Amino acid sequence: MQLLEMAGSVKVLERLEVIRKLNAKREWINDRLYGLTTREDLLIVAYERLKSQPGNMTPGSDDETLDGFSMRTIKELSEQLRTEKYQPRPVRTTYIPKANGKKRKLGIPSPKDKVVQEVVRMILEAVYDSPHGSYFCESSHGFRRARSCHTALQEVQRKWSGVTWLVEGDISQCFDDIDHEALIRILRKKIKDERFITLIKKFLKAGYLDIDRVLKNSLAGTPQGGIISPILSNVYLHELDEYMEQLREEYERGEQRKPNPEYRSIVRRRIRLAKEGKAGTKE
């Protein structure tokens, strides 16, 4: 039985690799993704990836933890997904301190929802961030495998030596302000599988329990702490990356920067003074 499960896991991971290779073409449109979420072997892979990660034994809104999982739980999840009866639970809200003394809201999904979200995350990563050719811009470094603040700094050091100006910005409460309808429209550019899109909608609309365990609706945003939140935010913010790249192309013209007339005048004057033997003078 264990050998059969291992063989199934290899097969489903091979299917993900096929998706990665197909999405090396940025224009590739994906369909029939939802069937992967119902696969018991992929649910097992997702559970194995999560079970030993720090913080994943924290109970969700149902007060259960991942250590209560069993093969029976996997089969039940698979059946609920196959019949499209699966419904995520509201996330449990807690607050964690930030370096500036403020607190960040954190949503903790239930264990079952964590596993399903991990499956969805793996599929989205295969679609949008293929190692064979990512859909995201090369300048995007947040929440991506083998990328971080350090790789962003390395890019600045390597490529930005001639930069004379830049645009700096900060998106306040980014995860909390993501427009659900806009996000779904963006997802549909690459994904033509409404069952898979509907599953993502369910997570977006699941709501949350506040600190007093009162149910609140999710009108916008993706829960900070949700496993799929980082990659969904990258999909959303990719539109901003492309817009800024378009602006850069509009403002950058020619192969060389236009010389500063005042600077050129000073250079010519300096050369003339040097020829006149006045290189050591105050002028």
Side-chain angles (χ1 to χ4, degrees):
M1 182 65 179
Q2 189 174 4
L3 289 174
L4 287 174
E5 287 177 3
M6 289 174 62
S9 298
V10 170
K11 190 173 180 180
V12 77
L13 292 176
E14 287 175 351
R15 169 65 179 143
L16 284 176
E17 180 60 19
V18 169
I19 295 173
R20 292 187 191 101
K21 289 179 178 178
L22 290 171
N23 282 279
K25 300 178 181 178
R26 297 189 81 254
E27 66 276 11
W28 182 260
I29 304 300
N30 299 266
D31 58 5
R32 293 185 296 175
L33 297 177
Y34 186 78
L36 283 170
T37 68
T38 69
R39 295 281 299 265
E40 291 180 15
D41 42 7
L42 190 55
L43 289 165
I44 292 170
V45 170
Y47 168 75
E48 291 293 331
R49 290 189 176 189
L50 291 174
K51 69 177 185 180
S52 58
Q53 291 183 9
N56 276 313
M57 287 302 148
T58 307
S61 58
D62 54 3
D63 295 324
E64 295 181 2
T65 59
L66 274 175
D67 59 355
F69 248 63
S70 65
M71 197 60 211
R72 178 181 176 181
T73 310
I74 294 289
K75 289 182 180 295
E76 288 175 354
L77 263 181
S78 174
E79 179 63 17
Q80 288 173 5
L81 287 161
R82 188 184 65 79
T83 57
E84 299 181 52
K85 293 179 180 178
Y86 170 77
Q87 184 60 50
R89 296 180 63 90
V91 298
R92 181 171 68 84
T93 301
T94 187
Y95 290 86
I96 57 175
K98 296 170 65 174
N100 60 7
K102 296 182 180 180
K103 291 188 176 181
R104 176 185 288 116
K105 186 170 75 172
L106 188 69
I108 303 173
S110 73
K112 292 179 182 178
D113 295 340
K114 285 181 181 178
V115 171
V116 178
Q117 281 197 39
E118 175 61 13
V119 169
V120 173
R121 188 202 64 77
M122 291 164 66
I123 297 170
L124 287 174
E125 187 177 66
V127 169
Y128 285 100
D129 208 4
S130 166
H132 306 289
S134 179
Y135 184 73
F136 298 138
C137 296
E138 186 62 25
S139 57
S140 172
H141 294 268
F143 306 120
R144 295 179 62 189
R145 184 176 297 179
R147 287 176 178 253
S148 64
C149 297
H150 295 90
T151 58
L153 289 170
Q154 288 167 4
E155 180 177 331
V156 170
Q157 185 181 43
R158 188 173 64 252
K159 296 182 179 180
W160 293 29
S161 58
V163 170
T164 57
W165 61 270
L166 55 87
V167 177
E168 188 271 338
D170 183 19
I171 303 173
S172 176
Q173 297 180 320
C174 174
F175 279 25
D176 295 337
D177 293 329
I178 288 176
D179 184 290
H180 291 170
E181 296 306 317
L183 175 60
I184 295 301
R185 285 198 302 271
I186 294 167
L187 287 167
R188 283 182 175 140
K189 291 181 180 181
K190 284 281 287 176
I191 299 172
K192 300 299 181 186
D193 183 340
E194 284 304 310
R195 292 201 298 167
F196 188 74
I197 294 288
T198 298
L199 179 58
I200 293 175
K201 280 184 180 178
K202 286 181 178 180
F203 283 116
L204 294 174
K205 302 292 186 182
Y208 63 94
L209 299 180
D210 66 14
I211 206 73
D212 298 317
R213 299 185 76 86
V214 176
L215 178 62
K216 303 286 185 180
N217 293 326
S218 300
L219 302 178
T222 61
Q224 195 142 13
I227 291 169
I228 58 173
S229 295
I231 192 164
L232 288 179
S233 71
N234 275 353
V235 171
Y236 192 79
L237 292 175
H238 174 70
E239 302 291 306
L240 175 61
D241 287 342
E242 288 199 320
Y243 174 70
M244 295 305 295
E245 182 65 21
Q246 179 185 336
L247 281 184
R248 184 186 66 80
E249 290 175 359
E250 289 177 6
Y251 282 93
E252 282 188 1
R253 299 177 182 178
E255 295 296 323
Q256 293 182 331
R257 185 179 294 117
K258 185 178 180 180
N260 185 311
E262 186 176 351
Y263 176 77
R264 294 183 72 178
S265 175
I266 293 171
V267 169
R268 286 194 296 267
R269 186 177 177 190
R270 179 179 179 275
I271 293 171
R272 177 172 54 79
L273 289 170
K275 286 180 178 178
E276 293 173 358
K278 298 179 180 178
T281 64
K282 184 177 179 180
E283 186 183 7

